[in-house]
Amino acid sequence: MATSVLHRFRRPLQATGLLGVLFVLSVFMPPVRLFADARDYLPLHSGLEIFSLVVAGMVFALGWNLRRSARGARLVWLGAACLAVGLLDFAHLMSFPGMPPFFTPNSADKAIAFWLMARLLGVLGLLAHAVLPERDGGGPAAAWAVLAAIGVAFGWSWLVLAHPQVLPATFIEGQGVTPLKSVLEGGLVLLHLAAAILLARRALADGESAAGWLAAAAATMALAELHFARYAAVADLYNVLGHAYKVAAFAMIYRAVFVSGVRAPQRALAAERALLRGLIDSVPDLIAFRDREGRYLGCNKAFAEAYGIREAALVGRSDGEVFAGRLPLAGAGQDTVSCAENHEEWLEAADGTLRLLDTLRTPYFDLDGVQLGEIRVSRDFTERRRVREQIAERERRLMLALEGAELGFWDWDVPSGRANFSPMWCRMLGYAAEELPANVSSWESLVHPDDWYDIRDSLEPHLRGIKDAYRAEYRLKHKSGHWVWVLAAGRVLDRGAGGEALRMVGIHQDISQRKAMEESLLQLATSDPLTGLWNRRHFVEVVRGELGRVRRNQAPAALLLMDLDFFKRINDTHGHAAGDEVLRHFTATVSAQLREADVFARLGGEEFAVLLPSIDALGAVRAADRLRRVVADSPASVDSGALHYSVSIGATMLDAADEGYEAAYARADEALYAAKHAGRNRVVLAPASAGAPCGEPVSEGAAAGAADQR
């Protein structure tokens, strides 16, 4: 897993690591002034800033044009932020010392004011991209985002240009940046680091390299801001490095948006086209596509081989141009259809043989409902007529085979409702053939009411042609009154012109013995053989289901963990037969006190558990104490006489924060241990929070028999 993650994000990690190493090295370098005059720095500064401006504009353009994609909302907000950043960075470029006056005299403070707001909007765009959900970004919200970005950019520009006196100083010539500037740059560093972390988490969760590049860009901008917090002159080493890091960050942002918004969809489209091509070429039916004028757009291999023509020679030509004298008998030279049509036609194959085709011509449309052309799908059913002639003979043989296998056969005329049942089918239910009217209502009257859903779930889709066959297991009422489990399987033999089922045949097999065996095996797998209670595995599944209801705030529920006190002493003193009798007596005693909704299980040995749904903590304690008292007051009968015994109970409420059964069981077990440690024959309620010490027992027994056992 770790190797796969490193491989997928190796390039963003390598780029960030390299820039991080260069940053560490730069820390030990003095703030060398690379240019004697700030004007000498102008060409390099302008080039770096223009690159960032171009990237910001491209990111905005990509985000806006991809707003209707699956992740369009995130791209729109990132693009809007980049639009504002581009406008403010342009103002920053024009305000740099040495540039012609930009509305007002240029200065370092003026350039820094535009810079800081641009960086703030940029990191907010990255944060939005990290936290927004995957959804379509089309609609008014996209336009409002762009307008808001433009409004913020022009509003801040108006403030900087018209009211510079309200802004504090951020740079002092000869001394460098002010403490306020350093603090603001530090805040931007923290925001960029937060964006890097959120984007990295999203990249790991979604498995996308694009988010990895955005995380690398955020981290790189954090390093850039650290450089800008340290420079002493506008043309020194740290200022140049900060702009270089900014260029690297913008290149990463563009790569991320381009890969996720353009390259990835193109690759997905190419893969989808290859898959579609492979699918249609693997189909044995003859498939061809035509435009609205009847010119071919393409075909599959089966079509090309059947007509002996290459697909390249087919594209762009009509039937009359391609097939000349061997046009199909039906549909020759016709325009494309506007609705689905089905017909039979003869095909003169490339080898000169005639083949009968069942052809479906269906139109296809674009997203706006405009017809683009038609799809022709032809299936060879030359052999179908010969097969139909053989059906009657096969049915006769089938009836003989079914009788020998003791399978009941039925034949249903769907439109009229008439149905014929074989003698074996009638005998399976205790009837003579003449006792059941030849109508489907005879079968309907025998179906168990609870089984209709399973029947309809398989029968109706098959009648509509959605499923290939009908298969269901259900109960039919025997003439003597009991229920017979049958396996029903059938298939529609004939359909009408509209695909409606006309005739259906099938069989019934008596599977009562198999069902009885399955029920017996299920009972063995989920119950305790000695007490007949649910076993641990089944109980765990029930508790997990109840936890789901608790998490949905449907109702509170409690778990009781019960352990018979000194049960080993009972086995050692009275024998294991007496111990088994005590377990069965305990089971009967507790079961008589529980509600129908309560779930009682034996977890193993003398350990039992009860799930109490729809009950609060006070009710759970009262129920547990009632069980404890009833057990203490109800001795078991063994060969040596009445045998008193007691039970210790640990109780806990199911918590929506529980990860599973084990968390609730651990609390109940800790409470049970506390009950035993306090003297047994007690109920202890576990605290609400896991890991807190259990409180004092909420009850304790006073029965003399239980005292003897202690």
Side-chain angles (χ1 to χ4, degrees), residues 396-629:
R396 188 184 69 82
R397 295 178 181 178
L398 177 62
M399 287 297 298
L400 294 175
L402 292 176
E403 289 289 333
E406 297 185 349
L407 298 176
F409 177 79
W410 47 269
D411 189 340
W412 177 22
D413 183 76
V414 180
S416 66
R418 292 191 304 271
N420 295 317
F421 307 101
S422 70
M424 179 58 68
W425 194 97
C426 299
R427 289 197 301 271
M428 191 182 300
L429 301 176
Y431 292 94
E434 61 274 9
E435 291 185 82
L436 292 176
N439 195 284
V440 72
S441 60
S442 300
W443 164 74
E444 292 175 342
S445 65
L446 300 175
V447 174
H448 194 289
D450 295 340
D451 296 341
W452 273 112
Y453 177 81
D454 292 334
I455 296 172
R456 293 192 181 105
D457 188 50
S458 179
L459 179 59
E460 293 181 0
H462 177 60
L463 291 176
R464 295 196 301 268
I466 299 174
K467 287 186 176 181
D468 292 336
Y470 158 64
R471 184 182 180 89
E473 295 180 2
Y474 53 88
R475 289 160 289 184
L476 292 175
K477 194 170 186 179
H478 195 273
K479 184 178 180 180
S480 63
H482 66 275
W483 295 99
V484 177
W485 273 100
V486 298
L487 168 63
R491 189 182 294 271
V492 172
L493 291 185
D494 295 314
R495 294 187 180 273
E500 68 277 10
L502 301 179
R503 182 189 177 197
M504 184 175 180
V505 298
I507 57 98
H508 277 166
Q509 180 183 8
D510 188 343
I511 59 170
S512 300
Q513 187 175 4
R514 193 198 83 191
K515 282 292 184 179
M517 184 179 297
E518 289 177 354
E519 185 175 354
S520 177
L521 291 175
L522 179 62
Q523 182 70 15
L524 289 174
T526 59
S527 64
D528 174 57
L530 176 63
T531 62
L533 298 176
W534 297 116
N535 61 15
R536 178 187 290 270
R537 182 172 62 179
H538 181 76
F539 185 73
V540 169
E541 294 302 320
V542 173
V543 173
R544 286 173 178 164
E546 189 63 27
L547 263 174
R549 285 186 284 275
V550 171
R551 293 189 185 107
R552 295 190 295 271
N553 297 321
Q554 290 187 350
L559 173 65
L560 305 182
L561 197 59
M562 303 186 292
D563 191 89
L564 299 187
D565 298 329
F566 298 113
F567 184 73
K568 184 177 183 302
R569 184 181 301 172
I570 295 176
N571 278 332
D572 294 343
T573 304
H574 301 278
H576 288 281
D580 290 347
E581 180 58 34
V582 169
L583 293 177
R584 285 191 287 267
H585 177 268
F586 174 76
T587 298
T589 301
V590 173
S591 297
Q593 302 298 318
L594 296 178
R595 303 169 299 176
E596 184 177 352
D598 300 334
V599 182
F600 190 19
R602 183 186 181 196
L603 304 185
E606 66 273 21
E607 186 179 16
F608 295 80
V610 178
L611 174 65
L612 301 175
S614 303
I615 195 169
D616 57 18
L618 180 59
V621 169
R622 287 175 175 172
D625 195 51
R626 183 177 71 253
L627 295 176
R628 180 197 62 77
R629 285 186 276 103

Side-chain angles (χ1 to χ4, degrees), residues 48-64:
L48 296 174
E49 288 295 337
I50 289 172
F51 176 85
S52 300
L53 289 173
V54 171
V55 171
M58 295 173 73
V59 171
F60 163 69
L62 282 172
W64 178 257

Side-chain angles (χ1 to χ4, degrees), residues 174-337:
Q175 298 181 15
V177 297
T178 65
L180 174 62
K181 170 70 159 55
S182 297
V183 170
L184 294 176
E185 295 286 6
L188 290 172
V189 169
L190 294 178
L191 287 174
H192 280 98
L193 289 177
I197 293 172
L198 292 175
L199 288 165
R201 289 180 58 186
R202 184 141 198 173
L204 292 174
D206 298 342
E208 295 180 356
S209 61
W213 278 111
L214 288 177
T220 302
M221 279 306 304
L223 297 178
E225 296 300 335
L226 288 174
H227 281 305
F228 285 117
R230 302 179 60 200
Y231 72 88
V234 294
D236 69 6
L237 174 66
Y238 292 134
N239 189 290
V240 174
L241 286 176
H243 281 87
Y245 271 65
K246 175 192 172 187
V247 166
F250 270 68
M252 294 175 182
I253 292 174
Y254 176 75
R255 190 187 190 287
V257 175
F258 180 79
V259 168
S260 65
V262 178
R263 186 183 300 170
Q266 287 178 344
R267 289 178 176 175
L269 180 60
E272 186 175 345
R273 286 176 176 172
L275 174 61
L276 179 61
R277 186 72 212 186
L279 286 174
I280 65 171
D281 280 341
S282 66
V283 175
D285 295 340
L286 282 60
I287 303 177
F289 316 95
R290 301 200 301 172
D291 63 18
R292 295 183 61 184
E293 286 71 36
R295 293 186 296 270
Y296 282 94
L297 301 173
C299 66
N300 68 343
K301 288 183 178 179
F303 188 96
E305 291 172 357
Y307 285 97
I309 187 171
R310 294 182 299 106
E311 183 180 9
L314 186 72
V315 174
R317 303 168 67 187
S318 64
D319 280 331
E321 295 173 325
V322 176
F323 301 110
R326 56 189 182 102
L327 286 169
L329 299 181
Q334 292 183 358
D335 293 334
T336 54
V337 296

Side-chain angles (χ1 to χ4, degrees), residues 146-160:
V146 173
L147 291 176
I150 296 174
V152 171
F154 279 96
W156 182 254
S157 299
W158 173 81
L159 179 65
V160 174

